[in-house]
C-alpha cells in the first residue's frame, strides 16, 4: 500500500496493512545488502492496521533465478515490530519483501475468549467461527481438508455452546485454519529488496600481497610465475587465504619510471606494473618476463592446491604503448593540441599512464571491452579482483560491471581500493563492491579505532561495506611502522586480524621492513619501481606470529563474523579492549591490545559478563590463544599488563566456568 | 541514477552523480513532510561523483499545481553534504527533488590555478578554458550573450598566457559561464518528494472544547447555537484560537445512554452526541435542540468575528436511528442472525452506536458518502475537523480522504484523535493528519516528559507528527488533576502551552473541575451524557491564568515553533527546564515548571548560554512573562524556587545583556 507521496490510494482500497521501516533496506531499496552463504537472514518491519484485529505476516523471498516465492513466517516482537528469518543457502542474489494480512480466525478467537470469560451469550459468535472454516476448507488439500470437514461435523453434532466453543478454539483447529488463511486482503510491501549472498571467502580471508617479479631466488633477476610456485609453501604456512598480485601485464616502455619514481628509467628498470600495456599486449596479456599465460594458470592451480586463491589487480589505465591507444584512440582524453592526456594531479604528473575516458562517445564499446577483461581472467580461473582506484571511474560503471559479472559468476569477489572521501567509498560499496579498503592504516589510537570500527560494524555501513584491513600496501608505510619497530608490526597485525574478518598485508611486513622516504609514507626503494629479492627468513621476522594469528582466526568462528565487534571499557588509554562472538554465541573472544609499541601498560578491563549470560561476579575459563595459557577469572573486572617487547596483544577465548557437582572433575 | 537493486544501470550511462540520503524524506518518499506557509524549507543530500571534479547542485521544486519547476542553488557544506533552501509561500503541497551536474568550468579553473601556482606551461589548458565558453555562448541570451562574446574577443586579443588566464579566471567570467552551465550530464534524484504546506493555524493554535448544549444560561435547559454566541466573548478573552465542538448532529433515541453512561436514559437525558443520527437526519444535519443549520452558520461567523475558528467533530459511526441504517444497511456489519453489529470491546458494549464496515462490497459508495460529509461542512464554512477514533478506520481511507479534500481545500485541518499504539498513531500522521493527540495527558514526571517531547520534536516524528497537547478531554480527567488541585491545573496548562505550539483544553478546566468516577479517568456526571450549565466565574477559576498564557503565546515567535524545543539540566527532579527559540534566533524563551503540585522546590538551572551565542559567564536580561518581573542573571547557572501554591511555572524571555558604553542608559 502507499501513502500520500508515492503511489496514490484508490477509493475503497482494501490492502490496508501498513508496512514500514523494513530492515535491512538501504536507500529505499536502491542498494542491496550483503551476506554470505550459510547466514540466516533476518528481516524486520513495522506492521500495523487499524483497530485491534489480529494480523499475520510472512517474509517472502526467492533467488533472482527463482520464478516463485518462498515464505518464512514473521512473528510479532513488540510495539508492532515483526521479525522473520530465512536461510541463505546459495551464492546468488536473493530478493525479499514482506506480506501481511488480517488473521480473521485469531481475531475471532480472542474476541470469543473474552466473551466466554465475561459469561456473555455467544451463539452468534459461534456461528461466525464455524463460518470461518468454510474458506479454509475450500483452500485446504488432502488430509487437512478431511480434518476441517471432521471439525465442522463435530461442531454440527455438538449440543451445547460450550462444546462448540471448545472445538472451534482447540489448538488443532487454530493450526488448521491458520494454515489456509484468507489472504485476499493481503498487503505486500511496495518494494522488493535484495541481498547479495557471497561465498564465505568474501567475508573471511587473510590476504597476502606480493610482486611476482620479486619472487625469484637471485637479486637482480626478474622473478617468474614458476618462482612464485616455489614461494607458495612459505605463504601457505603463514596461513593466508588469498594471494593478491599487482598487475601481471606487459609494462609500457614510454616514460617508464625508474627507481624511487624517477622520471628516467635505466635500461634494466622494470617500470611500474600499473603502467599497463606494451607491444606484448594489454590487460589480457602477461608480462613476458613473468612467463606465459600457461605459466600463470599453472601457478594459480598450484596456489589453489596450497589453499591459496589468487587475486588479480584490475587497474583501468594504459601505458602510452598499450594496444588500445593505437586501436582505440577515441577511448582516451585528448588535449586541444591533439595529444592524449596523461594522468595528472597538478603539480604531479604520471606520464607513464593514460586514464581512460569513460564518457567518450564510443563508451558503450569501451565499457564492454573493460568487462571482457574481467571475463577473460575468469576464464583463466581467477575469481577475485582487487580494483585499482575505482573512485576515479564512474559509479554507474561499477554498478553495471559488477552486476553483469556476478549475474553469471556469483562467486566473483571485487575489492575496492578507494582511498578517498567517506561518502565516495560508501557509494562504491553500495553499488556492489564485495569488499573495501579502509582508513585502518591511519587509525592508531584508542578512541579513533573504537569510533571508526563502531561506524564500520555497528551502523548501516555494516550492511553493505566490508572493510578489508591492510596493515600496509606498496603505497602506504604508515608512521607507526616506520618508528615502532617489531612491536608495532605485531600489534598492528593483531589489530587487523581481529578487528575485521578480512585483512591483508603486503609482503615484507613479515620481515618488519620499515625504511621510508623521509617525511612520506612511501617505501624507500619501492618495489613499485624495482625488483626486490628478499631473504624470507631474515632475523627478526614475525612469520611465526603471522602464522599463529591466522591459525587462531581459522579456529575461531567468532573471528569469522564481521558485524559482531563490540568495544569494552579498559581504564588505560593505551589498551584497547574489544570482543567478538559467533552468531550462535558458542565462540566468544575478547581481545586486549596495547597500542603503544614503546612501553608496557597496565589496565583494568571491564568484563562484559552479560554477553555470556553471566552475572557480574561469575567465574570464567579463559584461554589466551597467542601464548596458549589458561586462566581462571572472576568478573566483573580483570587486571592485565601488556608489554609490547613481549606480547602487545592478547586473545582470550572465554567460556563460563561450569557449575558442576563437587565430585566431577572440573578444569 | 540508480544502484544495484532499484533501477538497472545501462551500459554507458553518463548520469553519474550519486545523490543519496536526501533529507527530509519519509519512508522513501511515500509520505510527505509538513510545514506551514512562511517557513523556509531546507533540503540536504549527499552528492558525490567519481574523481575530484567540481560539482554544482540545485534544489528543484514546484507546487503540485505548477507545471514547471523552480530552482534554488545548493551549496556544499562538508563531507559531500549539500544543502539548499526555498521559501514556502503558498498553502498547498510542494514537490521537491535534487539535481546535480559536473561544473566543468570550476574544475578547469581549479586545475589551472594549481598549474599556474606551480609555474607550469598552460597553453593547452587556456585553449580548453576558452572552449568552455562556447557552449555557454550558445545557451546565453541578451546582455549575457554579448558579455561572453566580449570575453572571448578579449582572450583572442590577449598576447600572453598570463593575460588570457586573467580574463578566463576573472570572477565575472566565472559567474557568466556558471550561469549557463552544461547540464547534459545532470543527474536528477530518482524520487520526487512532497511537503504539505499548511496555513499557520495548523501549527500554532490554542484549542477550546465545549459542548454547545451546555452553553445555555439556565441549568437543565438545552443550550443552543445562539447561547453559544453569547459565550464567545468569554472564550475569546481567554485567548483561544480554535473552538472545537463535539458532534452537533441529531442524537439517536435507540439504546440512548443515560447519565454516567447508564444503559437506560430518562426522558430528558440528551444522550451522547457521538450516537449520531435520528429521524432528524445524520452527519449533515444539526440536532434540532441546538437550532438550525442557519443558526450554526451564524454562530460560526460570530466566532470568526471574535477571532475564533470553529472545529467540528468528524465521528464516523451511526446511531441505530441514523438514516444510513435504513438507506444503506449494506454499509454495516451483520451478524449471522441478520442483526447489525453494534460497537463492542468485550465485555464493554456500545449499543447506541453501529460502526461502519469500510470493507463492505459497496465500499466505494460509502467512502464517497463519507467524503461528502466533510465537503458539506466545508460549504458551511468549517475548515477544521477533529476526527474521532481514526485508528479504528482503514489507514488508506484517511490517506485517500485527506488528499482528496486538501487537493481542493488546502486550508482544511484534520486533527487525529487516535489514542492508541505509537506506530498506529504515527501511521495516521504519516498518511496526512495535520495534527495528532498525544500521550501528554499521561506524562507527569521529568524524565518521561523530556523523553517523550524529545521524541516528538527532535526525531523524524517532528517532520510529520504535530502533537496537539490536550490537558483534559471529556474522556480523560487524569489522576494529577483529580488530586493536585488548582496548582496542578496551572502547571499542566503551562506545560501544554509551552511544550507544543498546539494545545487544547476541554471546558471546565478553567474552573478546575476535578470530580472523577473513583478509580477511573472518567468525569463524574460526565457532560457526554448530560447537560452541564456552569458558573463560568466560579471562585477559584484560573481564567486569568489561561488568558495570560495565551497572550504570552501570541506574543512569542518562539512558542509558535513546534520543532525548536530543547531540554536543559536542572538539579532537582521536580523541576523541568526547557527552552524554545524562533527560527531567526530573535526570540528565546526558557521555561521552568515545578511538576509537583503539592510542594515548592528549589533547583539550580544550567543555562544554555551558547544558544544565545554567549560565553558561560556572560550576563542576561531576563523577563519573566507570567509575573512580568525583570531580572539580571549571570551565567552559567541560576538558582530558582517554584512554589505551586504561588506560581508553579516561570517563562523567561532571555536576551543578552548589551555591552554598551558606560554613558549609555542600559536596563
Amino acid at each position: 500500500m502507499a501513502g500520500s507521496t508515492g503511489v496514490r490510494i484508490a477509493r475503497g482500497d482494501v490492502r490496508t496493512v501498513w508496512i514500514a521501516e523494513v530492515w535491512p533496506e538501504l536507500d529505499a531499496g536502491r542498494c542491496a545488502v550483503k551476506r554470505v552463504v550459510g547466514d540466516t537472514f533476518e528481516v524486520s518491519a513495522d506492521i500495523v492496521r487499524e483497530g485491534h484485529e489480529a494480523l499475520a505476516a510472512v517474509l517472502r523471498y526467492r533467488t533472482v533465478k527463482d520464478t516463485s516465492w518462498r515464505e518464512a513466517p514473521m512473528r510479532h516482537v513488540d510495539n508492532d515490530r515483526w521479525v522473520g528469518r530465512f536461510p541463505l543457502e546459495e551464492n546468488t542474489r536473493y530478493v525479499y519483501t514482506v506480506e501481511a494480512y488480517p488473521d480473521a480466525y485469531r481475531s475471532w478467537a480472542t474476541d470469543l475468549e473474552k466473551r466466554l470469560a465475561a459469561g456473555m451469550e455467544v451463539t452468534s459468535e459461534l456461528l461466525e467461527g464455524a463460518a470461518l472454516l468454510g474458506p479454509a476448507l475450500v483452500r485446504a488439500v488432502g488430509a487437512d481438508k478431511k480434518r476441517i470437514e471432521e471439525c465442522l461435523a463435530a461442531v454440527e453434532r455438538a449440543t451445547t455452546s460450550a462444546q462448540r466453543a471448545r472445538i472451534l478454539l482447540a489448538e488443532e483447529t487454530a493450526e488448521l485454519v491458520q494454515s489456509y488463511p484468507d489472504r485476499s486482503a493481503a498487503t505486500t510491501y511496495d518494494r522488493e529488496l535484495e541481498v547479495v549472498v557471497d561465498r564465505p571467502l568474501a567475508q573471511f580471508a587473510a590476504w597476502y600481497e606480493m610482486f611476482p617479479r620479486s619472487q625469484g631466488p637471485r637479486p637482480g633477476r626478474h622473478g617468474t610465475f614458476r618462482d612464485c610456485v616455489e614461494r607458495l609453501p612459505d605463504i601457505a604456512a603463514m596461513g593466508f587465504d588469498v594471494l593478491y598480485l599487482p598487475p601481471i601485464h606487459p609494462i609500457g616502455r614510454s616514460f617508464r619510471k625508474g627507481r624511487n619514481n624517477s622520471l628516467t628509467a635505466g635500461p634494466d628498470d622494470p617500470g611500474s606494473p600499473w603502467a599497463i600495456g606494451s607491444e606484448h599486449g594489454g590487460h589480457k596479456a602477461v608480462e613476458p618476463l613473468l612467463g606465459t599465460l600457461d605459466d600463470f594458470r599453472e601457478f594459480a592451480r598450484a596456489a589453489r592446491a596450497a589453499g591459496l586463491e589468487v587475486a588479480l589487480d584490475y587497474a583501468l589505465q594504459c601505458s602510452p604503448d598499450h594496444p588500445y591507444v593505437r586501436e582505440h584512440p577515441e577511448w582516451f582524453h585528448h588535449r586541444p593540441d591533439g595529444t592524449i592526456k596523461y594522468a595528472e594531479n597538478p603539480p604531479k604528473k604520471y606520464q607513464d599512464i593514460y586514464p581512460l575516458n569513460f564518457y567518450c562517445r564510443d563508451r558503450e564499446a569501451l565499457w564492454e571491452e573493460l568487462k571482457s577483461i574481467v571475463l577473460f581472467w575468469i576464464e583463466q580461473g581467477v575469481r577475485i579482483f582487487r580494483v585499482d582506484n575505482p573512485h576515479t571511474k564512474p559509479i554507474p560503471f561499477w554498478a553495471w560491471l559488477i552486476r553483469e559479472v556476478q549475474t553469471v559468476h556469483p562467486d566473483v569477489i571485487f575489492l575496492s581500493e578507494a582511498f578517498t572521501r567517506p561518502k565516495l567509498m560508501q557509494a562504491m560499496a553500495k553499488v556492489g563492491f564485495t569488499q573495501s579498503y579502509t582508513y585502518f592504516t591511519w587509525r592508531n589510537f584508542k578512541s579513533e579505532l573504537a569510533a571508526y570500527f563502531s561506524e564500520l560494524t555497528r551502523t548501516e555501513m555494516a550492511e553493505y561495506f566490508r572493510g578489508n584491513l591492510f596493515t600496509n600496501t606498496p603505497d602506504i608505510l604508515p608512521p607507526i611502522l616506520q618508528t615502532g619497530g617489531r612491536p608495532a608490526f605485531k600489534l598492528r597485525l593483531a589489530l587487523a586480524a581481529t578487528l575485521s574478518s578480512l585483512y591483508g598485508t603486503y609482503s615484507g611486513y613479515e620481515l618488519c621492513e620499515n625504511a621510508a622516504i623521509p617525511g612520506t609514507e612511501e617505501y624507500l626503494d619501492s618495489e613499485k619501481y624495482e625488483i626486490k629479492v628478499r631473504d624470507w627468513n631474515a632475523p627478526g621476522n614475525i612469520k611465526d606470529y603471522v602464522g599463529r594469528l591466522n591459525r587462531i582466526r581459522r579456529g575461531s568462528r567468532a573471528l569469522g563474523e564481521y558485524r559482531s565487534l563490540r568495544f569494552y571499557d579498559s581504564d588505560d588509554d593505551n589498551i584497547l579492549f574489544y570482543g567478538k562472538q559467533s552468531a550462535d554465541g558458542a565462540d566468544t573472544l575478547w581481545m586486549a591490545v596495547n597500542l603503544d609499541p614503546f612501553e608496557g601498560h597496565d589496565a583494568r578491563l571491564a568484563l562484559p559478563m552479560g554477553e555470556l549470560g553471566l552475572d557480574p561476579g561469575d567465574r570464567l575459563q579463559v584461554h589466551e590463544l597467542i601464548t596458549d595459557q589458561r586462566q581462571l577469572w572472576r568478573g566483573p573486572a580483570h587486571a592485565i599488563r601488556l608489554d609490547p617487547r613481549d606480547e602487545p596483544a592478547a586473545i582470550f577465548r572465554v567460556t563460563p566456568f561450569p557449575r558442576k557437582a563437587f565430585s566431577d572433575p572440573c578444569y
Side-chain angles (χ1 to χ4, degrees), chain A:
Chain A
M1 71 171 285
S4 52
T5 303
V7 186
R8 294 291 179 269
I9 293 295
R11 184 180 57 196
D13 197 333
V14 299
R15 294 163 299 124
T16 63
V17 186
W18 177 258
I19 304 172
E21 302 291 334
V22 173
W23 186 255
E25 174 183 295
L26 300 178
D27 288 347
R30 199 164 65 159
C31 307
V33 299
K34 297 186 176 81
R35 292 293 188 277
V36 290
V37 173
D39 282 351
T40 298
F41 191 57
E42 182 176 298
V43 177
S44 56
D46 286 349
I47 302 180
V48 292
R49 186 171 179 263
E50 81 276 8
H52 305 279
E53 273 189 83
L55 292 176
V58 292
L59 183 53
R60 290 165 65 78
Y61 65 98
R62 59 178 177 82
T63 72
V64 285
K65 298 166 299 182
D66 291 340
T67 49
S68 63
W69 293 90
R70 281 172 276 177
E71 290 187 348
M74 296 185 82
R75 64 178 181 81
H76 180 245
V77 184
D78 186 29
N79 192 17
D80 293 313
R81 191 82 185 156
W82 293 62
V83 69
R85 289 174 189 82
F86 63 90
L88 300 171
E89 292 162 337
E90 266 185 84
N91 176 204
T92 182
R93 284 165 192 261
Y94 282 72
V95 183
Y96 59 98
T97 193
V98 170
E99 184 173 310
Y101 50 91
D103 182 346
Y105 173 83
R106 192 149 61 84
S107 297
W108 168 85
T110 307
D111 181 271
L112 183 69
E113 278 160 357
K114 281 189 200 161
R115 287 170 195 271
L116 291 172
M120 295 167 77
E121 212 281 315
V122 295
T123 311
S124 175
E125 284 69 24
L126 289 171
L127 289 170
E128 282 180 39
L132 286 170
L133 268 63
L137 183 64
V138 173
R139 285 183 289 271
V141 286
D144 284 349
K145 198 177 195 76
K146 211 169 147 54
R147 287 164 68 208
I148 296 175
E149 280 166 355
E150 283 165 10
C151 181
L152 279 168
V155 170
E156 190 75 20
R157 276 195 311 273
T159 51
T160 67
S161 283
Q163 283 176 344
R164 282 192 197 97
R166 209 175 309 121
I167 298 163
L168 288 167
L169 290 174
E171 203 163 304
E172 198 198 336
T173 312
E175 254 174 49
L176 263 175
V177 183
Q178 290 178 314
S179 300
Y180 299 97
D182 173 7
R183 282 164 67 166
S184 58
T187 305
T188 304
Y189 184 58
D190 58 5
R191 281 187 286 282
E192 292 179 3
L193 307 169
E194 276 192 8
V195 49
V196 171
V197 182
D198 293 306
R199 57 188 173 119
L201 197 75
Q203 179 176 281
F204 182 55
W207 286 47
Y208 184 81
E209 174 175 3
M210 71 175 197
F211 284 68
R213 67 189 184 191
S214 291
Q215 307 309 317
R218 266 175 306 170
R221 214 202 65 186
H222 198 290
T224 65
F225 288 126
R226 292 188 184 186
D227 294 326
C228 291
V229 172
E230 299 302 312
R231 285 278 292 129
L232 291 172
D234 195 39
I235 298 161
M238 283 189 283
F240 286 101
D241 306 297
V242 174
L243 181 50
Y244 151 50
L245 312 181
I248 57 172
H249 315 300
I251 296 170
R253 264 276 157 210
S254 303
F255 304 102
R256 177 178 284 190
K257 295 292 176 83
R259 290 171 178 240
N260 285 308
N261 200 19
S262 65
L263 282 177
T264 46
D268 295 330
D269 283 343
S272 161
W274 284 275
I276 296 169
S278 77
E279 76 274 20
H280 300 297
H283 286 76
K284 296 176 190 167
V286 159
E287 164 64 39
L289 291 170
L290 288 171
T292 65
L293 192 56
D294 274 343
D295 291 341
F296 169 76
R297 279 191 297 248
E298 181 53 39
F299 158 70
R301 265 195 300 273
R304 223 176 253 265
L308 286 157
E309 194 171 327
V310 169
L312 286 191
D313 203 312
Y314 185 58
L316 297 180
Q317 65 240 353
C318 299
S319 117
D321 307 325
H322 195 292
Y324 289 163
V325 176
R326 194 176 61 250
E327 295 161 12
H328 296 283
E330 69 277 13
W331 289 354
F332 299 87
H333 297 273
H334 295 265
R335 289 156 55 103
D337 65 6
T339 59
I340 294 181
K341 272 195 175 179
Y342 49 78
E344 279 187 279
N345 188 8
K348 290 192 200 163
K349 300 179 177 189
Y350 307 93
Q351 296 95 331
D352 59 341
I353 48 172
Y354 290 161
L356 288 156
N357 181 359
F358 284 80
Y359 299 107
C360 66
R361 291 187 64 166
D362 193 35
R363 59 183 175 269
E364 294 201 28
L366 168 63
W367 290 29
E368 275 299 331
E369 172 62 23
L370 299 178
K371 185 178 89 177
S372 78
I373 295 170
V374 176
L375 297 177
F376 175 85
W377 291 105
I378 288 173
E379 267 172 47
Q380 316 313 316
V382 177
R383 289 291 184 282
I384 310 180
F385 297 90
R386 176 271 196 193
V387 179
D388 191 64
N389 277 328
H391 58 289
T392 59
K393 287 93 190 171
I395 299 171
F397 170 73
W398 298 115
W400 170 80
L401 178 90
I402 295 171
R403 179 173 275 269
E404 287 272 306
V405 170
Q406 288 187 337
T407 298
V408 184
H409 304 284
D411 56 342
V412 172
I413 291 168
F414 291 94
L415 165 62
S416 159
E417 189 245 10
F419 287 114
T420 182
R421 311 189 309 282
K423 300 283 174 69
L424 187 47
M425 288 176 69
Q426 290 167 13
M428 290 289 151
K430 278 189 175 173
V431 299
F433 277 96
T434 321
Q435 307 176 358
S436 306
Y437 281 63
T438 70
Y439 302 142
F440 166 71
T441 328
W442 299 281
R443 296 289 180 273
N444 294 302
F445 301 107
K446 186 170 163 177
S447 61
E448 66 187 18
L449 280 164
Y452 184 53
F453 284 95
S454 295
E455 184 190 1
L456 290 190
T457 63
R458 308 290 302 157
T459 69
E460 187 181 276
M461 278 185 81
E463 298 291 335
Y464 65 87
F465 187 101
R466 291 196 192 102
N468 189 335
L469 315 190
F470 269 74
T471 54
N472 63 325
T473 78
D475 291 310
I476 313 168
L477 175 63
I480 191 169
L481 297 180
Q482 296 182 29
T483 58
R486 203 164 173 269
F489 280 81
K490 286 174 75 175
L491 81 88
R492 295 293 298 176
L493 190 85
L495 286 173
T498 56
L499 284 170
S500 173
S501 50
L502 291 166
Y503 89 102
T505 63
Y506 153 55
S507 61
Y509 192 91
E510 67 271 42
L511 305 180
C512 303
E513 288 179 354
N514 68 351
I517 295 175
T520 76
E521 296 185 353
E522 286 280 331
Y523 277 91
L524 184 67
D525 303 327
S526 169
E527 203 170 354
K528 288 189 286 182
Y529 311 107
E530 61 189 86
I531 293 163
K532 291 187 86 131
V533 175
R534 298 165 171 97
D535 171 5
W536 295 107
N537 295 307
N541 76 68
I542 57 166
K543 285 163 68 178
D544 280 353
Y545 191 75
V546 174
R548 211 172 323 146
L549 283 174
N550 283 334
R551 275 190 301 279
I552 290 169
R553 283 169 51 90
R554 286 182 176 174
S556 164
R557 287 169 53 214
L559 292 177
E561 296 284 335
Y562 182 75
R563 309 187 306 153
S564 73
L565 182 66
R566 299 285 184 289
F567 290 92
Y568 309 121
D569 279 347
S570 89
D571 66 358
D572 185 275
D573 209 34
N574 296 285
I575 292 187
L576 186 69
F577 180 39
Y578 55 100
K580 282 200 161 191
Q581 200 166 46
S582 59
D584 62 1
D587 186 28
T588 305
L589 299 191
W590 291 346
M591 278 64 72
V593 181
N594 179 357
L595 304 172
D596 176 357
F598 304 107
E599 292 287 343
H601 291 283
D602 296 278
R604 198 172 161 78
L605 310 178
L607 308 179
M609 304 297 286
E611 299 207 355
L612 292 165
L614 298 179
D615 292 326
D618 281 347
R619 286 178 187 275
L620 296 169
Q621 296 185 72
V622 177
H623 182 190
E624 202 292 310
L625 300 173
I626 297 176
T627 57
D628 196 20
Q629 288 182 341
R630 289 171 190 270
Q631 302 168 25
L632 191 60
W633 291 2
R634 179 164 184 168
H638 184 77
I640 191 176
R641 176 171 180 80
L642 292 169
D643 192 319
R645 287 155 290 204
D646 179 16
E647 288 298 342
I651 302 178
F652 303 107
R653 170 163 284 139
V654 289
T655 44
F657 185 77
R659 298 165 192 267
K660 287 187 182 180
F662 282 107
S663 53
D664 289 340
C666 71
Y667 182 64

